[in-house]
Structure formats: C-alpha cells, structure tokens
Amino acid sequence: VQLQASGGGLVQAGGSLRLSCAASGRIFSSLGWFRQAPEKEREFVAAISWSGGATYYADSVKGRFTISRDNAKNTVYLQMNSLKSEDTAVYYCAVVRSLRATTPTAADYWGQGTLVTVSS
C-alpha cells in the first residue's frame, strides 16, 4: 500500500486548508491523520472508518477539522478550518487498525507527509 499526501502549505491563522491522501488501491480499513510538530512526538489528529460512517478526533481539533473519505477515489481528506499557529506540523496519513487507534504504533502504512505552516 502506498499513500500520497498533498495539500499542505502556508496559511494565516484563522484560514483553511484541505489535505488529501491518495492510496494506491482500495483500503478496507480505517484511515487516519497524524501530525508532528518540530521537536515533538507524532500525535493523532483524526480517523475515519472504512465506510466513512464513523469518525474520531483529537480534542485539540474537534469542531475545526473534518475528516472524510471517497472510497471510489481511494482518497481520504482532512478539511482544516480556523487554523491556529499550534496546528503547524507535518501531517501524515496512515492506514490504522481501528477507528480509535490513536497511537502511531497502531498504523500499518504511512504517507510521506505534507507540511502545514500557520502564520500568526
């Protein structure tokens, strides 16, 4: 399985970005987004079930970020609104073993990461 993340960039605080992650084939598993800020550990952001019917978010992004997926396109998205400087990080998509697999060790495959920089 190969995952290709895209959509990162520089945005002002309060702005929005949408990240995409395209898989090389159909993923019959939950998909998640993680992020890693400079000198910090990788942390869970959001996850979505295989059907897309269930989602789970870190408290820090709840109400601001929305995860979705299009299985016909083998793609998962992360819509990020009301961005804050503390959202600055490299964002990674991953195939995770369950919807609430919030530790990086529960991911089986990783994308290459896309950098999001939020200026204050």
Side-chain angles (χ1 to χ4, degrees):
V1 175
Q2 292 185 330
L3 302 171
Q4 182 75 36
S6 61
L10 175 64
V11 63
Q12 289 187 333
S16 298
L17 277 177
R18 188 176 84 152
L19 306 183
S20 300
C21 177
S24 56
R26 191 72 178 265
I27 304 295
F28 295 94
S29 180
S30 296
L31 290 168
W33 287 95
F34 292 75
R35 67 186 181 186
Q36 188 164 17
E39 301 181 359
K40 292 190 176 181
E41 294 186 351
R42 193 168 298 189
E43 65 175 5
F44 170 78
V45 175
I48 188 166
S49 63
W50 169 73
S51 68
T55 57
Y56 187 63
Y57 296 93
D59 288 343
S60 59
V61 306
K62 201 173 296 182
R64 300 188 298 121
F65 291 11
T66 302
I67 189 171
S68 61
R69 68 190 291 170
D70 184 340
N71 286 338
K73 296 181 179 179
N74 299 326
T75 301
V76 61
Y77 304 97
L78 186 68
Q79 177 66 44
M80 306 185 294
N81 298 328
S82 302
L83 282 161
K84 306 175 182 179
S85 57
E86 51 262 45
D87 294 319
T88 294
V90 177
Y91 283 72
Y92 299 89
C93 55
V95 178
V96 294
R97 295 177 200 141
S98 67
L99 182 66
R100 301 202 173 205
T102 59
T103 60
T105 55
D108 291 320
Y109 300 97
W110 291 94
Q112 88 288 3
T114 185
L115 176 63
V116 172
T117 303
V118 183
S119 63
S120 56

